[in-house]
């Protein structure tokens, strides 16, 4: 399950804010402060560039494929966002909606069922847009700031974490908070994720601690005890990412050189051989993603390059 020592490098120029694999095709996107979304074919050897889309006066802070893979949605420090229709080859601007009461829409998540775009708002607000019509549906509010948003695999449940140390669980049908729990020992939450199989909820904090919980305990207790407390990260954990089978968890800190660690979930142990101590290509990681079937793993860094690793344990893309 170890990454290949030979990683492929693909430069995008400027800081990479997002790397993401296409939901069905062997394609990945790179997006960042150079105002471009660049699409590459993933073959593990040459990884040729397919297309580059330029967004004028729009440094990209967040980019995601739509669930069906036909659109690329991008956000920035502006009161509007764009999406690129890959079928029509057109860029469409979605204007600022005054109901959001904020001047920027730079971070968002796409629900796994493809129904919702959840934008990070100010003062604990989460703005829910229809992924189909791009219209504002609802605004939810939690106490404190909202620093991380994640969904269950079916998109029926949303999790949010923030600076008050509590994780909120939202029912996406009623759009109400149905439960909240205190992340053990956490003063400021920075990331949260639920495993695709629904077994685990993991929470990262500003102190670098990652708590692994049994999801059922989180849904029934206001103060669940972690199954495992992972102390291998020493800086704020800014992203937590499961692979499709829930066997692996990648932890990332965007404030530390080589700040990526992987966890083998069945044994709850951290891989000691990743990143390779001899690998000098990885600098400060900013974003990460697993491919559809975990055959590849990528890390984007502050120098605009994406490091592509082959996970040989998994046979397919």
């Amino acid at each position: 399950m170890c990454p290949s020592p030979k990683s492929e490098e693909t430069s995008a120029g400027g800081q990479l804010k997002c790397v993401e694999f296409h939901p069905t095709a062997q394609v990945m996107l790179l997006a960042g402060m150079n105002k471009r979304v660049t699409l590459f074919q993933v073959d593990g050897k040459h990884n040729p560039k397919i297309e580059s889309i330029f967004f004028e006066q729009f440094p990209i802070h967040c980019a995601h494929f739509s669930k069906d893979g036909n659109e690329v949605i991008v956000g920035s420090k502006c009161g509007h966002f764009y999406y690129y229709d890959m079928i029509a080859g057109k860029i469409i601007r979605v204007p600022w909606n005054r109901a959001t009461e904020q001047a920027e829409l730079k971070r968002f998540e796409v629900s796994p069922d493809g129904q919702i775009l959840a934008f990070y708002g100010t003062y604990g607000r989460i703005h829910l847009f229809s992924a189909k019509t791009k219209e504002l549906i609802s605004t939810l509010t939690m106490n404190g700031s909202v620093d991380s948003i994640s969904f269950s695999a079916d998109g029926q449940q949303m999790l949010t974490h923030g600076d008050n140390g509590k994780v909120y669980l939202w029912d996406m049908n009623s759009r109400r908070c149905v439960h909240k729990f205190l992340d053990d020992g956490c003063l400021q939450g920075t990331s949260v994720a639920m495993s695709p199989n629904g077994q685990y909820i993991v929470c990262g904090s500003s102190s670098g601690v990652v708590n692994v919980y049994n999801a059922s305990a989180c849904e029934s207790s206001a103060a669940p005890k972690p199954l495992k407390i992972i102390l291998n990260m020493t800086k704020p954990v800014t992203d937590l990412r499961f692979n499709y089978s829930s066997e692996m968890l990648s932890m990332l800190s965007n404030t530390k050189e080589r700040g990526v660690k992987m966890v083998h979930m069945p044994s709850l142990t951290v891989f000691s051989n990743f990143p390779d101590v001899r690998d000098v290509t990885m600098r400060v990681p900013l974003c990460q993603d697993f491919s559809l079937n975990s055959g590849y793993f990528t890390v984007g860094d502050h120098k605009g390059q994406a490091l592509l690793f082959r996970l040989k344990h998994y046979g397919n893309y």
Side-chain angles (χ1 to χ4, degrees):
M1 201 178 289
C2 303
S4 165
K6 293 183 179 180
S7 60
E8 316 298 335
E9 246 177 51
T10 315
S11 177
Q15 289 188 355
L16 269 186
K17 291 294 187 177
C18 185
V19 290
E20 186 169 280
F21 290 99
H22 192 276
T24 57
Q26 287 193 214
V27 172
M28 66 180 291
L29 71 78
L30 279 61
M33 303 306 288
N34 66 351
K35 309 180 187 68
R36 291 184 181 275
V37 170
T38 308
L39 303 177
F40 292 87
Q41 180 184 345
V42 179
D43 60 16
K45 296 179 181 179
H46 305 292
N47 308 309
K49 183 170 74 172
I50 299 171
E51 186 178 10
S52 183
I53 307 102
F54 180 72
F55 295 83
E56 188 173 355
Q57 296 182 345
F58 202 79
I60 298 169
H61 286 257
C62 188
H64 293 292
F65 285 111
S66 59
K67 173 63 176 176
D68 60 12
N70 291 334
E71 297 175 353
V72 177
I73 307 115
V74 295
S76 184
K77 281 188 172 182
C78 301
H80 58 274
F81 64 97
Y82 289 97
Y83 67 95
Y84 175 65
D85 186 325
M86 297 172 66
I87 305 299
K90 292 183 179 180
I91 295 174
I92 295 94
R93 182 181 186 270
V94 182
W96 175 55
N97 187 323
R98 292 186 180 276
T100 62
E101 296 182 2
Q102 66 180 68
E104 59 182 49
L105 296 167
K106 70 175 184 178
R107 291 182 65 201
F108 65 95
E109 308 293 342
V110 180
S111 64
D113 60 1
Q115 299 298 310
I116 296 293
L117 305 178
F119 280 85
Y120 293 73
T122 54
Y123 307 109
R125 297 188 183 99
I126 306 106
H127 304 297
L128 304 181
F129 285 75
S130 165
K132 183 177 181 180
T133 66
K134 310 300 187 292
E135 295 177 345
L136 180 67
I137 300 171
S138 179
T139 295
L140 311 179
T141 306
M142 60 182 277
N143 292 331
S145 65
V146 52
D147 295 314
S148 182
I149 299 173
S150 183
F151 289 91
S152 59
D154 59 6
Q156 297 302 299
Q157 192 174 55
M158 182 175 72
L159 296 86
T160 59
H161 203 0
D163 64 0
N164 69 352
K166 289 185 178 180
V167 177
Y168 287 65
L169 278 65
W170 306 84
D171 179 86
M172 296 307 291
N173 291 316
S174 63
R175 301 194 186 101
R176 292 183 178 180
C177 177
V178 293
H179 187 65
K180 52 188 173 182
F181 67 90
L182 183 65
D183 184 15
D184 187 66
C186 175
L187 298 177
Q188 181 176 357
T190 53
S191 52
V192 66
M194 177 181 281
S195 61
N197 65 4
Q199 183 177 355
Y200 303 107
I201 290 176
V202 291
C203 303
S205 69
S206 59
S207 64
V209 175
V210 174
N211 287 327
V212 181
Y213 297 95
N214 188 310
S216 60
C218 295
E219 293 167 357
S220 59
S221 172
K225 294 302 179 185
L227 294 172
K228 178 80 172 184
I229 301 174
I230 300 173
L231 303 173
N232 296 69
M233 306 289 284
T234 57
K235 297 289 184 179
V237 181
T238 50
D239 190 53
L240 294 165
R241 189 87 41 161
F242 282 97
N243 78 322
Y244 85 100
S245 64
S246 305
E247 293 175 295
M248 295 175 64
L249 168 71
S250 183
M251 310 177 293
L252 182 146
S253 173
N254 64 12
T255 62
K256 180 183 179 182
E257 285 204 359
R258 300 162 58 80
V260 180
K261 295 285 186 183
M262 282 197 185
V263 182
H264 179 247
M265 293 305 295
S267 63
L268 293 176
T269 56
V270 177
F271 286 97
S272 61
N273 59 349
F274 184 81
D276 192 321
V277 294
R278 298 165 296 178
D279 185 358
V280 297
T281 56
M282 185 184 294
R283 298 298 298 276
V284 180
L286 299 182
C287 44
Q288 61 180 350
D289 197 23
F290 288 99
S291 63
L292 180 64
N293 295 302
S294 306
Y296 292 94
F297 173 71
T298 186
V299 177
D301 71 11
H302 72 302
K303 287 193 170 184
Q305 66 180 6
L307 305 176
L308 185 64
F309 299 92
R310 179 72 171 94
L311 304 186
K312 293 183 177 178
H313 178 78
Y314 300 96
N316 300 321
Y317 167 79

